[in-house]
Amino acid sequence: MVDALSEPVAALLDEAARARAHVMILTGAGISAESGVPTFRGAEGYWRVGSRNYHPQEMATHEAFVEMPDEVWAWYLYRRSVCRAASPNAAHEALVALERALGDRFLLVTQNVDGLHLRAGQTLARTYQIHGNIDFMRCADECADAIDRVPEAIDREWAKGRAIGDAERALLQCGRCGGRARPHVLWFDETYDEPRYRFESSIRAARATSLLVVVGTSGATNLPMQIGSIVARRGVPILDVNPEENPFTNLARSTPRGAWLAGAAAKTVPAIVERLAASALG
Ligand code: NAD
Ligand code: ZN
């Protein structure tokens, strides 16, 4: 395992562990690629495929939900079926082990809505899902702040006809006011906030962390880039795990002892964790 890491990176991780450093992990679609959930740019283009008539940028909006809630839900249930069929991989599992080893010195910020981090066993308290999670829904009329689990029965109903009918609508209701529920995801025409998406908490963590490990993100979205910039400006090391160069690569190289770890998440993340957790426990 350890040979996945260069000597300077291994030394940095050993030091971080010895110093009982706070470690922030920032993940994107790339960490789930080896679980079979396609990335945004991936060849299958799954995240790009919209409905018959709409592109994702049009479907994943509040405006679209107001105009055609059934079609938007059908599209999310299709994506959900892909995510539910996938299982956490070695990178997800290693991060669970890291949280167990570090406790409150660990924080995971994820852009993924596939739910794989929580399904792997990560705690909600230390997992900021900054773009939401398709396993959850909430009242579209905002009658309460509560976030509810999408009922498992919906997958069975939807699979029958792959359309939203009365049975599906009944399951996708707000349990409090009886109005429509909506997917608990951040849409393109919406903004980050604290109660739902942990915006301020993520910024605060970026200002305090002693190490940032970025895994499988292309840096196309706003908050992840802000987190990277804040950490880099503080002169705190960034490690960027990604088979391809991306905007975080240069940011990582600009930090003292920061580095690009050019490899796949399922091999590199366990190697990082083995180092951080072993020294932390030893
Ligand atoms: P992205 O698709 O834009 O970028 C994925 C990155 O992962 C790329 O840089 C790619 O080189 C890298 N990658 C590919 N395979 C990898 C591997 N095996 N190991 C490590 N890295 C690998 O994804 P993004 O930056 O997360 O942004 C996409 C947006 O779309 C986000 O807002 C996200 O919420 C959403 N999205 C979510 C999922 C999901 O939940 N799994 C999937 C696709 C898109
Ligand atoms: Zn309601």
Side-chain angles (χ1 to χ4, degrees), residues 34-46:
E34 290 158 273
S35 291
V37 181
T39 61
F40 192 66
R41 298 144 178 262
E44 300 92 321
Y46 143 84

Side-chain angles (χ1 to χ4, degrees), residues 116-144:
L116 286 173
H117 284 302
L118 291 187
R119 281 172 53 203
Q122 221 81 62
T123 70
L124 187 57
R126 298 191 192 105
T127 307
Y128 296 172
Q129 301 176 101
I130 60 172
H131 293 168
N133 179 336
I134 53 163
D135 289 334
F136 293 85
M137 61 186 200
R138 58 182 206 251
C139 180
D141 297 328
E142 306 190 350
C143 77

Side-chain angles (χ1 to χ4, degrees), residues 7-268:
E7 265 313 306
V9 169
L12 170 69
L13 296 171
D14 287 348
E15 258 173 57
R18 271 198 303 273
R20 302 184 64 77
H22 283 250
V23 179
M24 184 174 187
I25 315 283
L26 171 62
T27 65
I31 197 168
S32 297
E34 290 158 273
S35 291
V37 181
T39 61
F40 192 66
R41 298 144 178 262
E44 300 92 321
Y46 143 84
W47 222 257
R48 282 201 189 284
V49 179
S51 72
R52 204 153 19 92
N53 301 312
Y54 300 92
H55 295 294
Q57 284 84 346
E58 297 168 280
M59 292 294 285
T61 62
H62 184 254
E63 197 186 342
F65 185 75
V66 169
E67 275 168 29
M68 41 177 188
D70 288 348
E71 196 162 5
V72 170
W73 259 120
W75 184 60
Y76 273 98
L77 292 178
Y78 162 67
R79 289 176 169 213
R80 182 176 145 89
S81 70
V82 173
C83 298
R84 303 290 290 177
S87 304
N89 65 49
H92 297 103
E93 280 158 14
L95 292 181
V96 174
L98 187 61
E99 177 176 359
R100 289 202 183 118
L102 301 190
D104 281 340
R105 291 186 285 117
F106 172 93
L107 180 68
L108 172 60
V109 175
T110 185
Q111 297 170 78
N112 295 344
V113 298
D114 57 32
L116 286 173
H117 284 302
L118 291 187
R119 281 172 53 203
Q122 221 81 62
T123 70
L124 187 57
R126 298 191 192 105
T127 307
Y128 296 172
Q129 301 176 101
I130 60 172
H131 293 168
N133 179 336
I134 53 163
D135 289 334
F136 293 85
M137 61 186 200
R138 58 182 206 251
C139 180
D141 297 328
E142 306 190 350
C143 77
D145 290 335
I147 292 168
D148 305 305
R149 195 163 270 284
V150 173
E152 299 284 331
I154 192 66
D155 301 317
R156 237 177 4 258
E157 284 304 323
W158 181 77
K160 289 179 195 161
R162 301 208 147 213
I164 303 292
D166 289 343
E168 288 78 7
R169 268 183 225 110
L171 287 165
L172 299 172
Q173 247 178 22
C174 168
R176 286 161 294 272
C177 72
R180 275 192 185 271
R182 57 162 281 175
H184 174 53
V185 292
L186 180 69
W187 283 327
F188 285 106
D189 54 354
E190 296 179 319
T191 49
Y192 291 110
D193 66 22
E194 174 62 20
R196 293 174 182 135
Y197 303 112
R198 311 303 305 266
F199 178 74
E200 277 90 14
S201 295
S202 299
I203 298 285
R204 207 175 313 125
R207 292 192 181 125
T209 194
S210 317
L211 174 67
L212 173 65
V213 181
V214 182
V215 186
T217 174
S218 69
T221 50
N222 181 304
L223 179 54
M225 282 317 287
Q226 272 194 62
I227 290 171
S229 309
I230 290 169
V231 173
R233 269 203 309 274
R234 292 178 50 229
V236 163
I238 298 178
L239 298 177
D240 177 35
V241 179
N242 198 314
E244 285 174 35
E245 286 209 40
N246 64 87
F248 285 101
T249 311
N250 280 332
L251 209 55
R253 286 185 182 127
S254 78
T255 61
R257 311 178 73 193
W260 174 34
L261 280 58
K267 180 167 184 239
T268 311

